[in-house]
Amino acid sequence: ENFPFSYALDENKDSKWVSEKPQTDSFSPTIFANFTGQINFEGLIYSVCRHKKNAYDGFPSKLYIYTALNEDDEFKLHTVFTGTQKDEKVQFILSKPVKCSRIMIELHDVGDYESEGKYAASDCLVFLQSFDYQELNYQKVGGNYKKDQYKDFHKIPKDIISVGTNGDAAEQPIDFALDTDGNSFWKS
């Protein structure tokens, strides 16, 4: 039967994805996800297939997550999850979200799928991204940032940055905030 991967993403309980080939010593079912840009990938929720109570078909007891920041970057192993299935849904949440544009998920030690072999299977996969941010307090300038030589070397040159606001006072544009004249200042 044909169970394309799109069935794992449709959130329809009556459809499922089943890998085309079973896991062998030389082949592991693998899922590739390419995002339209960089995201903070948090993890995924894996809904398993089951044909009878407590028979979780095609579920991996090892799941390897690889990430790549850009389209041309090599995948790097980020996290390995291991365990046994005890519920219809399992969350694979990274210890810390990772910025990436692509992920690869290798499924290992796949359980038997309806007595047909070690085919990976899922009723639904939900990919999660993090929108968390860290709130920090203002700090007094210190350390290297107090040193003019360090600051001047690391300062972004004016010719490669464009700065604007949603409103400047008539005689005090944002450019005054970027100059080194101690007598001029920006006012919104």
Side-chain angles (χ1 to χ4, degrees):
E1 293 180 50
N2 190 11
F3 301 103
F5 185 72
S6 60
Y7 287 179
L9 303 175
D10 67 10
E11 298 186 48
N12 179 348
K13 291 182 180 182
D14 295 326
S15 66
K16 60 186 168 190
W17 163 70
V18 179
S19 62
E20 183 179 16
K21 296 194 262 183
Q23 178 194 337
T24 64
D25 291 340
S26 60
F27 175 79
S28 294
T30 303
I31 297 166
F32 296 92
N34 299 311
F35 306 110
T36 57
Q38 294 178 354
I39 66 158
N40 289 321
F41 179 67
E42 186 174 3
L44 63 110
I45 297 173
Y46 192 118
S47 297
V48 300
C49 293
R50 66 184 201 175
H51 68 279
K52 59 185 176 182
K53 189 173 183 169
N54 297 328
Y56 301 109
D57 299 324
F59 184 77
S61 62
K62 283 187 184 175
L63 189 137
Y64 293 68
I65 294 183
Y66 296 81
T67 63
L69 183 61
N70 297 303
E71 187 177 321
D72 297 329
D73 292 347
E74 298 262 336
F75 282 107
K76 293 180 184 166
L77 180 61
H78 186 276
T79 304
V80 177
F81 292 97
T82 60
T84 56
Q85 178 55 22
K86 295 181 175 110
D87 197 17
E88 289 181 37
K89 292 184 181 184
V90 178
Q91 65 182 29
F92 296 97
I93 305 300
L94 306 179
S95 60
K96 184 177 178 183
V98 61
K99 190 173 192 174
C100 62
S101 65
R102 304 181 304 138
I103 60 171
M104 179 174 73
I105 304 167
E106 283 184 352
L107 309 170
H108 294 268
D109 297 340
V110 175
D112 195 44
Y113 175 77
E114 294 185 6
S115 302
E116 294 178 18
K118 294 183 173 202
Y119 291 88
S122 175
D123 280 344
C124 182
L125 289 173
V126 177
F127 294 90
L128 304 170
Q129 67 177 322
S130 175
F131 295 105
D132 291 343
Y133 59 91
Q134 185 177 9
E135 190 170 314
L136 301 172
N137 293 323
Y138 294 119
Q139 296 179 11
K140 181 180 176 180
V141 174
N144 284 334
Y145 301 105
K146 246 182 158 175
K147 300 174 185 171
D148 287 338
Q149 185 178 7
Y150 182 88
K151 194 171 44 179
D152 290 341
F153 182 76
H154 287 89
K155 185 167 71 173
I156 299 170
K158 284 185 182 180
D159 60 343
I160 66 166
I161 187 171
S162 174
V163 178
T165 72
N166 62 352
D168 295 332
E171 301 295 323
Q172 294 160 307
I174 188 64
D175 293 339
F176 285 5
L178 305 175
D179 67 23
T180 55
D181 181 353
N183 296 318
S184 66
F185 60 93
W186 166 66
K187 182 178 177 184
S188 66

